[in-house]
Short mmCIF file of all heavy atoms in Angstrom, two decimals:
data_model
loop_
_atom_site.label_atom_id
_atom_site.label_comp_id
_atom_site.label_asym_id
_atom_site.label_seq_id
_atom_site.Cartn_x
_atom_site.Cartn_y
_atom_site.Cartn_z
N GLY A 51 -95.98 -208.78 -137.42
CA GLY A 51 -95.38 -208.03 -136.39
C GLY A 51 -95.38 -208.82 -135.10
O GLY A 51 -96.00 -209.91 -134.98
N HIS A 52 -94.60 -208.39 -134.09
CA HIS A 52 -94.70 -209.14 -132.84
C HIS A 52 -94.31 -208.11 -131.74
O HIS A 52 -93.78 -206.99 -131.91
CB HIS A 52 -93.67 -210.27 -132.89
CG HIS A 52 -92.22 -209.83 -132.65
ND1 HIS A 52 -91.54 -209.95 -131.42
CD2 HIS A 52 -91.34 -209.32 -133.61
CE1 HIS A 52 -90.37 -209.41 -131.65
NE2 HIS A 52 -90.13 -209.06 -132.97
N GLY A 53 -94.73 -208.49 -130.52
CA GLY A 53 -94.41 -207.76 -129.31
C GLY A 53 -94.28 -208.75 -128.21
O GLY A 53 -94.04 -209.97 -128.31
N SER A 54 -94.41 -208.23 -126.96
CA SER A 54 -94.39 -209.11 -125.72
C SER A 54 -95.67 -208.86 -124.90
O SER A 54 -96.46 -208.06 -125.18
CB SER A 54 -93.16 -208.66 -124.84
OG SER A 54 -91.94 -208.75 -125.65
N GLY A 55 -95.81 -209.77 -123.96
CA GLY A 55 -97.02 -209.64 -123.06
C GLY A 55 -96.64 -210.36 -121.69
O GLY A 55 -95.65 -211.08 -121.55
N ILE A 56 -97.57 -210.15 -120.74
CA ILE A 56 -97.30 -210.87 -119.40
C ILE A 56 -98.65 -211.39 -119.03
O ILE A 56 -99.70 -210.76 -119.14
CB ILE A 56 -96.88 -209.69 -118.35
CG1 ILE A 56 -96.69 -210.30 -117.06
CG2 ILE A 56 -97.80 -208.48 -118.33
CD1 ILE A 56 -95.39 -211.18 -116.89
N ALA A 57 -98.61 -212.62 -118.52
CA ALA A 57 -99.79 -213.30 -118.05
C ALA A 57 -100.32 -212.76 -116.79
O ALA A 57 -99.59 -212.67 -115.76
CB ALA A 57 -99.50 -214.82 -117.87
N VAL A 58 -101.58 -212.22 -116.72
CA VAL A 58 -102.24 -211.79 -115.58
C VAL A 58 -103.28 -212.76 -115.07
O VAL A 58 -103.94 -212.48 -114.04
CB VAL A 58 -102.73 -210.31 -115.64
CG1 VAL A 58 -101.67 -209.35 -115.92
CG2 VAL A 58 -103.81 -210.31 -116.85
N GLY A 59 -103.50 -213.79 -115.78
CA GLY A 59 -104.41 -214.86 -115.50
C GLY A 59 -104.00 -216.09 -116.27
O GLY A 59 -103.11 -216.01 -117.19
N PRO A 60 -104.38 -217.31 -115.89
CA PRO A 60 -103.89 -218.47 -116.58
C PRO A 60 -104.11 -218.42 -118.10
O PRO A 60 -103.32 -218.99 -118.79
CB PRO A 60 -104.77 -219.57 -115.98
CG PRO A 60 -105.14 -219.12 -114.58
CD PRO A 60 -105.33 -217.65 -114.80
N ASN A 61 -105.20 -217.71 -118.54
CA ASN A 61 -105.39 -217.57 -119.99
C ASN A 61 -105.56 -216.12 -120.42
O ASN A 61 -106.19 -215.84 -121.49
CB ASN A 61 -106.68 -218.43 -120.34
CG ASN A 61 -107.89 -217.84 -119.68
OD1 ASN A 61 -107.86 -217.09 -118.70
ND2 ASN A 61 -109.09 -218.28 -120.14
N LEU A 62 -105.07 -215.23 -119.57
CA LEU A 62 -105.17 -213.79 -119.89
C LEU A 62 -103.80 -213.16 -119.99
O LEU A 62 -102.93 -213.35 -119.18
CB LEU A 62 -105.95 -213.07 -118.80
CG LEU A 62 -107.49 -213.48 -118.71
CD1 LEU A 62 -108.07 -212.87 -117.50
CD2 LEU A 62 -108.24 -213.16 -119.90
N ILE A 63 -103.59 -212.33 -121.05
CA ILE A 63 -102.29 -211.72 -121.27
C ILE A 63 -102.45 -210.23 -121.40
O ILE A 63 -103.32 -209.70 -122.14
CB ILE A 63 -101.61 -212.15 -122.48
CG1 ILE A 63 -101.41 -213.75 -122.45
CG2 ILE A 63 -100.31 -211.50 -122.87
CD1 ILE A 63 -102.48 -214.59 -123.02
N LEU A 64 -101.68 -209.49 -120.67
CA LEU A 64 -101.69 -208.03 -120.77
C LEU A 64 -100.60 -207.60 -121.68
O LEU A 64 -99.44 -208.04 -121.56
CB LEU A 64 -101.46 -207.40 -119.31
CG LEU A 64 -101.36 -205.89 -119.23
CD1 LEU A 64 -102.81 -205.36 -119.52
CD2 LEU A 64 -101.05 -205.47 -117.83
N THR A 65 -100.87 -206.65 -122.66
CA THR A 65 -99.90 -206.16 -123.58
C THR A 65 -100.12 -204.71 -123.87
O THR A 65 -101.06 -204.17 -123.37
CB THR A 65 -99.81 -207.04 -124.81
OG1 THR A 65 -98.69 -206.67 -125.66
CG2 THR A 65 -101.07 -206.94 -125.57
N ASN A 66 -99.50 -204.16 -124.90
CA ASN A 66 -99.77 -202.86 -125.38
C ASN A 66 -100.83 -202.89 -126.42
O ASN A 66 -100.94 -203.90 -127.27
CB ASN A 66 -98.48 -202.22 -125.96
CG ASN A 66 -97.45 -201.76 -124.95
OD1 ASN A 66 -96.31 -201.76 -125.26
ND2 ASN A 66 -97.94 -201.23 -123.83
N ALA A 67 -101.63 -201.81 -126.39
CA ALA A 67 -102.63 -201.66 -127.49
C ALA A 67 -101.99 -201.61 -128.93
O ALA A 67 -102.49 -202.19 -129.84
CB ALA A 67 -103.49 -200.45 -127.19
N HIS A 68 -100.93 -200.88 -129.07
CA HIS A 68 -100.28 -200.80 -130.39
C HIS A 68 -99.76 -202.09 -130.94
O HIS A 68 -99.54 -202.22 -132.12
CB HIS A 68 -99.26 -199.62 -130.38
CG HIS A 68 -97.94 -200.00 -129.81
ND1 HIS A 68 -97.53 -199.57 -128.61
CD2 HIS A 68 -96.79 -200.76 -130.31
CE1 HIS A 68 -96.33 -200.10 -128.30
NE2 HIS A 68 -95.85 -200.78 -129.37
N VAL A 69 -99.39 -203.01 -130.06
CA VAL A 69 -98.97 -204.32 -130.52
C VAL A 69 -100.08 -205.10 -131.33
O VAL A 69 -99.69 -205.72 -132.33
CB VAL A 69 -98.53 -205.25 -129.36
CG1 VAL A 69 -98.16 -206.70 -129.81
CG2 VAL A 69 -97.30 -204.63 -128.66
N VAL A 70 -101.31 -204.96 -130.95
CA VAL A 70 -102.39 -205.68 -131.49
C VAL A 70 -103.28 -204.81 -132.43
O VAL A 70 -104.31 -205.27 -132.88
CB VAL A 70 -103.24 -206.42 -130.48
CG1 VAL A 70 -102.49 -207.40 -129.73
CG2 VAL A 70 -103.82 -205.38 -129.45
N THR A 71 -102.90 -203.62 -132.58
CA THR A 71 -103.59 -202.71 -133.54
C THR A 71 -103.94 -203.29 -134.82
O THR A 71 -104.99 -203.15 -135.37
CB THR A 71 -103.02 -201.26 -133.63
OG1 THR A 71 -103.09 -200.68 -132.30
CG2 THR A 71 -103.78 -200.43 -134.57
N PRO A 72 -102.93 -203.99 -135.50
CA PRO A 72 -103.18 -204.54 -136.87
C PRO A 72 -104.35 -205.52 -136.85
O PRO A 72 -105.13 -205.60 -137.86
CB PRO A 72 -101.85 -205.30 -137.18
CG PRO A 72 -100.80 -204.44 -136.39
CD PRO A 72 -101.47 -204.12 -135.20
#
Side-chain angles (χ1 to χ4, degrees):
H52 78 97
S54 303
I56 182 74
V58 293
N61 64 344
L62 296 174
I63 298 94
L64 182 66
T65 187
N66 284 148
H68 76 258
V69 171
V70 295
T71 294

